Amino acid sequence: MTNIRSIIQDMRSRSSRVVQDRFSAGPPSSSSSSAAAAAVEVEDGMNESCWANMPQELLREVLVKIEASESAWPLRKNVVACAGVCRSWRHITKEIVKIPELSGILTFPISVKQPGPRDSLIQCFIKRNRSSQTYYLYLSCTNGPAIAEDGKFLLAARKCRRPTCTDYIISLHADEMSKGSSTYIGKLRSNFLGTKFTIFDGQPPHAGAKITKSRSTRMVNSKQISPRVPAGNYSVAHISYELNVLGSRGPRRMQCTVDAIPSSAIEPGGVAPTQMDFSLGNVDFFPSMPFLRSKSNHMETFSSGPLASQKDGVLVLKNKAPRWHEQLQCWCLNFHGRVTVASVKNFQLVASPENGPSGPEHEKIILQFGKVGKDLFTMDFRYPISAFQAFAICLSSFDTKIACE
């Protein structure tokens, strides 16, 4: 095990040098090809090393033990490093590591695009930076109601005001948030009043998804590498807040229609589309993670086929109605200790029985969001939505709603 850890450390140092070379070479537009070449060079070098020739049975046994023993962050980074040693290590690691739906763990970057576990909530938190109008999503490294501010970074978003709308650009990188960047994975767009929002995915959320034509779509496509997995903006969900014509300070009412997920996904045996890999356009800007590079990328993008037919309907989420607490003189929801500050932004979303009677599956909280500090909020989600979709929904709660308050 000691020798394996030394291999991991050696791989990390090699990857770090590639990352430094990539950023010292200049802006992304001028160095993408050199960064990709450097990543391939490192991978080829590792493929020719002695570690690539380790007996498959022994390698699998070692990787299984590492994956099982280091099941939480920050130790989880060793599993990611194993996937980057060489091609044979990558294939076996990807076979061993299960998707979040089955494991309840976010391991690789693509995990933020995959649905969470069915039987539990993945606990995260969001930090807000008011001065820069940025938001950062972290995975909680400790389970329970206590909030530790040293979580694993997942996603970042930057607020961009337009004359008639507001965009929240969502990125895999904490310091690189623009639609032209390869780390761009989607956005949230609001109307002028802040009452209606649309979530856009940067790549197809399911087989057969149609791209939304816009100026920003053309900008992303200009950096596209593989025509098999077109980059752009794909509408995946719509969020609406009820107009408050009486000016009451009561709780907000919201509804989220997730076009990318069938309503049957919440039922026993139901399936939600699961993205299995990033498009090749994103891969070149992750030289430290060569395990993402695959010649069969376009054939393994989804674990399920096209979205269910329209007669099955799409998933509709509605906020759980709070109750009025006479002693506290406020509206209350049971967040089981995960929310400690009263705020109009706090909410819990459950599936809405649109075309039939309500069942136990409609009582499960799919997403909950709430305030715990001046600029600190918790975000917990489960199947059938992903961390990316949950983060985008929560960003809509931050936006100023002229007509709702």
Side-chain angles (χ1 to χ4, degrees), residues 21-34:
D21 292 342
R22 177 255 189 268
F23 281 103
S24 62
S29 59
S30 63
S31 61
S32 57
S33 59
S34 61

Side-chain angles (χ1 to χ4, degrees), residues 303-323:
S303 66
S304 59
L307 191 62
S309 60
Q310 289 298 320
K311 66 179 182 179
D312 295 332
V314 296
L315 179 66
V316 177
L317 304 176
K318 290 185 177 180
N319 63 313
K320 190 174 183 180
R323 62 180 179 84

Side-chain angles (χ1 to χ4, degrees), residues 84-161:
V85 170
C86 61
R87 185 170 289 121
S88 60
W89 285 53
R90 174 182 68 222
H91 291 327
I92 296 177
T93 304
K94 290 179 70 175
E95 290 176 4
I96 295 172
V97 175
K98 296 180 175 61
I99 58 176
E101 176 190 350
L102 303 177
S103 65
I105 305 172
L106 303 180
T107 303
F108 300 134
I110 191 60
S111 298
V112 299
K113 288 291 195 74
Q114 298 173 336
R118 291 178 181 265
D119 300 324
S120 61
L121 291 165
I122 291 184
Q123 296 183 345
C124 306
F125 61 92
I126 298 173
K127 286 184 178 181
R128 174 177 59 183
N129 187 319
R130 293 173 182 262
S131 59
S132 61
Q133 294 191 315
T134 52
Y135 305 83
Y136 302 93
L137 175 66
Y138 295 86
L139 176 68
S140 296
C141 292
T142 55
N143 292 324
I147 307 297
E149 297 190 32
D150 57 348
K152 160 65 179 170
F153 170 79
L154 296 177
L155 294 168
R158 179 171 58 87
K159 185 176 183 178
C160 303
R161 293 186 181 275

